């Protein structure tokens, strides 16, 4: 179900509402709705949604980037009143970590699709975390291997994305046990404690290495920070029928995992191919489907073999989630109305 388009409060000029991170989190839809929004995103990508490849510039700070991610999703109304329009602007400055500043920052700008006027400016960090985990949830719901016991899940990377994925695992794989690894032991300990305290998680442990974490895991989620060392996790680390969900490009998952998989899926084919051409996915094969194509076609999990779902993140997800958050924030009176 798509979020309703933001109501135009004044006929000639919509209100412009600013939501900081706290307001975004307070207006975040519940998990079940987030999963529905993620599905609408993936299906939209396979349909009439418009989104060009990420527009990128690279400031002089080493390894820094700035990406513009515009997106448009036509709705069902003939007058365009339920169309969704917006853009995500995300900037990464890895050296910020040494200064006590966020390495990645983002804002989501939303527009009224019937007038083109801006209606919302939202902190993008909480949106990125929750929309990414929800897309992973689609993969888990459809492609986790069948079992006669509770699932064993590995989370490699205990940052924001690791935390965002725990409630999704608890909801979709109740009774699961989780093995956590992070190169920073304190972060792994903190995520394991959060997981242990989460309803639906039976237990959580800290693994001493990525390989120790993924041994025997039914579902493997990789969410480590990008870095110069890539394609670390090779196929023989993994259980024969494991589902691998990669949200860190090819930082962890080696190309042989994709080549040997019974099913290799990405969120958006054009973006994947562009990144492969740029060297981010050296040795990876062409994907069999996008996640949206698999949903539309009802593609089943193969009877045997691994499934790899790699999602790079698309601006359409931020726009769809952003409009749902803006609607809820408006109803709750959250945020600040900016002068226009």
């Amino acid at each position: 179900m798509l979020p309703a388009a933001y109501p135009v409060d004044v006929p000639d000029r919509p209100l412009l509402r600013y939501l900081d991170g706290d307001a975004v989190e307070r207006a975040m839809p519940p998990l079940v709705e987030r999963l529905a929004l993620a599905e609408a995103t993936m299906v939209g990508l396979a349909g009439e949604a418009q989104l060009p490849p990420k527009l990128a510039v690279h400031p002089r700070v080493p390894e820094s980037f700035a990406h513009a991610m515009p997106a448009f999703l036509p709705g069902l109304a003939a007058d365009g009143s339920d169309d969704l329009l917006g853009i995500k602007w995300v900037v990464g400055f890895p050296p910020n970590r040494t200064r006590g500043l966020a390495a990645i920052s983002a804002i989501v700008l939303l527009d009224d699709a019937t007038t083109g006027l801006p209606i919302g400016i939202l902190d993008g960090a909480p949106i990125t975390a929750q929309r990414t985990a929800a897309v992973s949830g689609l993969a888990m719901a459809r492609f986790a291997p069948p079992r006669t016991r509770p699932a064993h899940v590995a989370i490699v990377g205990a940052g924001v994305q690791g935390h965002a994925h725990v409630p999704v695992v608890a909801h979709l794989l109740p009774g699961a046990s989780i093995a956590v690894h992070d190169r920073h032991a304190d972060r792994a300990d903190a995520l394991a404690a959060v997981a242990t305290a989460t309803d639906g998680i039976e237990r959580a442990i800290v693994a001493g290495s990525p390989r120790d974490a993924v041994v025997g895991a039914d579902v493997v989620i990789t969410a480590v920070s990008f870095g110069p060392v890539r394609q670390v996790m090779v196929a023989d680390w993994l259980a024969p029928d494991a589902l691998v969900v990669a949200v860190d490009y090819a930082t962890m998952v080696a190309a042989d995992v994709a080549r040997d998989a019974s099913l290799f899926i990405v969120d958006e084919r054009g973006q994947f191919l562009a990144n492969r051409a740029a060297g981010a996915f050296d040795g990876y094969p062409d994907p069999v489907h996008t996640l949206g194509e698999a949903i539309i076609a009802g593609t089943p999990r193969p009877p045997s073999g691994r499934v790899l779902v790699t999602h790079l993140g698309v601006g359409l997800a931020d726009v769809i989630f952003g409009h749902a958050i803006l609607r809820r924030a408006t109803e709750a009176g959250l945020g600040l109305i900016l002068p226009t």
Side-chain angles (χ1 to χ4, degrees):
M1 178 179 178
L2 293 177
Y6 184 81
V8 178
D9 299 88
V10 179
D12 296 326
R13 184 178 293 278
L15 298 181
L16 175 58
R17 189 178 298 266
Y18 169 70
L19 302 178
D20 63 11
D22 178 67
V24 169
E25 289 179 350
R26 291 171 63 189
M28 185 68 65
L31 179 53
V32 171
E33 184 177 343
R34 297 199 299 270
L35 293 171
L37 294 172
E39 182 164 338
T41 301
M42 294 299 105
V43 171
L45 287 173
E48 297 182 351
Q50 297 179 32
L51 70 163
K54 291 177 182 176
L55 308 175
V57 295
H58 299 278
R60 67 179 67 205
V61 173
E63 299 182 14
S64 66
F65 66 85
H67 291 166
M69 302 163 64
F72 169 69
L73 182 67
L76 298 177
D79 63 357
S81 58
D82 59 348
D83 293 351
L84 300 178
L85 176 65
I87 185 170
K88 179 181 182 179
W89 174 248
V90 56
V91 179
F93 274 59
N96 278 1
R97 296 187 182 95
T98 64
R99 305 170 63 183
L101 299 173
I104 298 179
S105 60
I107 60 170
V108 176
L109 172 64
L110 304 175
D111 297 278
D112 173 69
T114 61
T115 65
L117 296 176
I119 55 176
I121 301 173
L122 286 64
D123 185 330
I127 300 174
T128 300
Q130 298 303 332
R131 59 84 152 149
T132 304
V135 173
S136 294
L138 298 182
M140 284 183 251
R142 291 180 172 273
F143 299 118
R147 357 164 257 290
T148 57
R149 50 166 178 75
H152 175 47
V153 178
I155 299 179
V156 182
V160 170
Q161 286 297 342
H163 281 264
H165 278 72
V166 166
V168 177
V169 171
H171 176 72
L172 294 172
L173 303 172
S177 61
I178 295 180
V180 177
H181 174 77
D182 192 279
R183 62 192 177 93
H184 300 287
D186 57 333
R187 298 206 317 176
D189 289 339
L191 181 56
V194 168
T196 299
T198 300
D199 289 342
I201 302 299
E202 180 64 26
R203 67 188 183 99
I205 63 169
V206 173
S209 70
R211 186 165 190 172
D212 290 342
V214 306
V215 169
D218 302 295
V219 176
V220 176
I221 300 162
T222 65
V224 302
S225 300
F226 295 164
V229 178
R230 292 183 293 149
Q231 300 204 22
V232 175
M233 188 180 73
V234 294
D236 65 7
W237 288 19
L238 299 163
D241 295 325
L243 166 66
V244 181
V245 182
V247 299
D248 52 10
Y249 285 50
T251 307
M252 276 301 301
V253 181
D256 72 325
V257 177
R259 289 195 301 266
D260 295 346
S262 294
L263 184 61
F264 172 41
I265 288 177
V266 298
D267 55 351
E268 205 276 316
R269 186 176 283 103
Q271 184 181 183
F272 169 79
L273 294 176
N275 276 275
R276 187 178 65 179
F281 289 95
D282 287 343
Y284 271 63
D286 289 345
V288 177
H289 295 297
T290 66
L291 191 49
E293 290 167 352
I295 291 169
I296 292 169
T299 301
R301 180 189 167 87
S304 63
R306 300 185 190 97
V307 175
L308 171 60
V309 178
T310 299
H311 55 106
L312 290 71
V314 292
L316 182 63
D318 301 280
V319 169
I320 288 178
F321 272 65
H323 276 279
I325 291 164
L326 185 58
R327 174 176 52 81
R328 290 169 58 90
T330 301
E331 292 169 353
L334 300 174
L336 176 67
I337 301 299
L338 300 178
T340 58

